[in-house]
Amino acid sequence: MRVIIVGCGRVGSQLANALSAERHDVVVIDRDPLSFGRLSREFGGRMLTGVGFDREILQKADIEGADALAATTDSDNVNIVVAVAAKETFKVPRVVARIYDPQAAEIYRREGIPTVTATLLAANTMKAMIAHPQLGILATFGSGEVELLQVEASKTMAGRTVRDVTLPGESLVGALVRRGQAMIPAADARLEEGDLLHIVVVAAAIHKLEKIFSH
C-alpha cells in the first residue's frame, strides 16, 4: 500500500515507522527537515521537505497513485486543507486526519473524513477509568464515543442471560470467554460465575451498564 503522511511529529513519525516496518510504501512530508530525525534507522520510505498542502509537493509524493493519506501536523487548519485536497482533488481512497479541537470534528464529518481527536480520546478514556473502575477498558473507538469493555460475571450474575446485560442500541456482547474458550453467545445464553464478557458500548451508556453489573 502506498501511503503519504503529512507531518513528521511524534504521531506522524510513529505512524511512518510502523507502516514502513510492515513493508508499505511510505512518503513523509514535513516543512522542517530536522523532523525526519524522528524516523527510525530502519525506515525505508521517502522524505520530502515542504508544505503539505502544496500541490507540487503532493505531486512529488505521487499523490495520484496513493492508496491513503494521513494528515498529522500540529495545525488543525493545515490538516483540514490537506485532507480535503487529498479526498476531493486527488481522489485518494483513504484519508484520515488528526485534530486537536473536538469542535472541528464536525467539519471533517461533513467531508466524510475520519478523524482522531487525541484530546477527546484521552478525556473520555480517563473519565471511564475514574468513574467506572470495575469495567475494564480494552479499546476505544473513534474519539471515545464507543468503548470495548471486559467485565467478569460475578456470583450474583450467574443464571442471568446475555439479553439481561444488553442495552438495545447502546451495547452488545460480542464475545464470552468461559474457562479459556471464547464464543459468540446467543441472547438467551446463561452466564456462569467467572465468565468474561467483551462488550461494545456507547460511552454515554457506560453508567447504565455499570448499574446492571453492580446489581
Side-chain angles (χ1 to χ4, degrees):
M1 183 167 64
R2 186 172 298 171
V3 184
I4 297 173
I5 299 173
V6 179
C8 195
R10 284 172 293 183
V11 173
S13 60
Q14 287 294 319
L15 178 59
N17 288 333
L19 289 170
S20 179
E22 293 183 1
R23 300 295 186 267
H24 294 290
D25 183 1
V26 182
V27 180
V28 182
I29 301 172
D30 199 286
R31 65 196 307 173
D32 180 6
L34 295 178
S35 68
F36 299 132
R38 295 188 175 97
L39 297 171
S40 70
R41 293 180 180 179
E42 292 74 28
F43 177 72
R46 289 196 293 144
M47 295 162 280
L48 291 176
T49 302
V51 179
F53 52 79
D54 184 293
R55 188 183 187 93
E56 184 177 345
I57 290 294
L58 290 173
Q59 288 176 329
K60 283 183 179 179
D62 193 21
I63 193 170
E64 289 90 349
D67 298 299
L69 178 143
T72 66
T73 78
D74 58 4
S75 168
D76 284 355
N77 291 334
V78 170
N79 289 344
I80 186 64
V81 172
V82 172
V84 171
K87 183 177 179 62
E88 300 297 332
T89 304
F90 296 102
K91 310 300 180 185
V92 177
R94 303 176 203 171
V95 178
V96 63
R98 178 192 188 188
I99 58 175
Y100 291 85
D101 182 2
Q103 295 181 351
E106 182 57 32
I107 299 174
Y108 289 87
R109 289 195 187 98
R110 291 199 298 266
E111 298 293 339
I113 298 171
T115 62
V116 175
T117 312
T119 302
L120 188 57
L121 178 59
N124 284 339
T125 301
M126 293 174 75
K127 177 180 70 66
M129 289 177 174
I130 292 170
H132 313 288
Q134 75 180 76
L135 305 179
I137 300 173
L138 298 181
T140 299
F141 304 104
S143 295
E145 298 89 355
V146 175
E147 308 273 6
L148 173 61
L149 309 178
Q150 176 178 282
V151 185
E152 182 174 348
S154 64
K155 184 176 182 179
T156 59
M157 294 297 297
R160 299 186 69 179
T161 67
V162 169
R163 183 181 290 107
D164 293 333
V165 298
T166 299
L167 300 168
E170 295 181 306
S171 75
L172 176 68
V173 178
L176 184 154
V177 181
R178 176 175 295 164
R179 292 183 287 277
Q181 298 294 313
M183 67 186 82
I184 297 177
D188 58 356
R190 294 198 175 276
L191 303 179
E192 295 182 7
E193 182 181 1
D195 283 350
L196 293 179
L197 303 175
H198 291 82
I199 305 174
V200 180
V201 59
V202 175
I206 288 180
H207 68 285
K208 297 180 185 178
L209 202 61
E210 188 173 43
K211 287 182 179 179
I212 292 175
F213 282 93
S214 65
H215 293 166

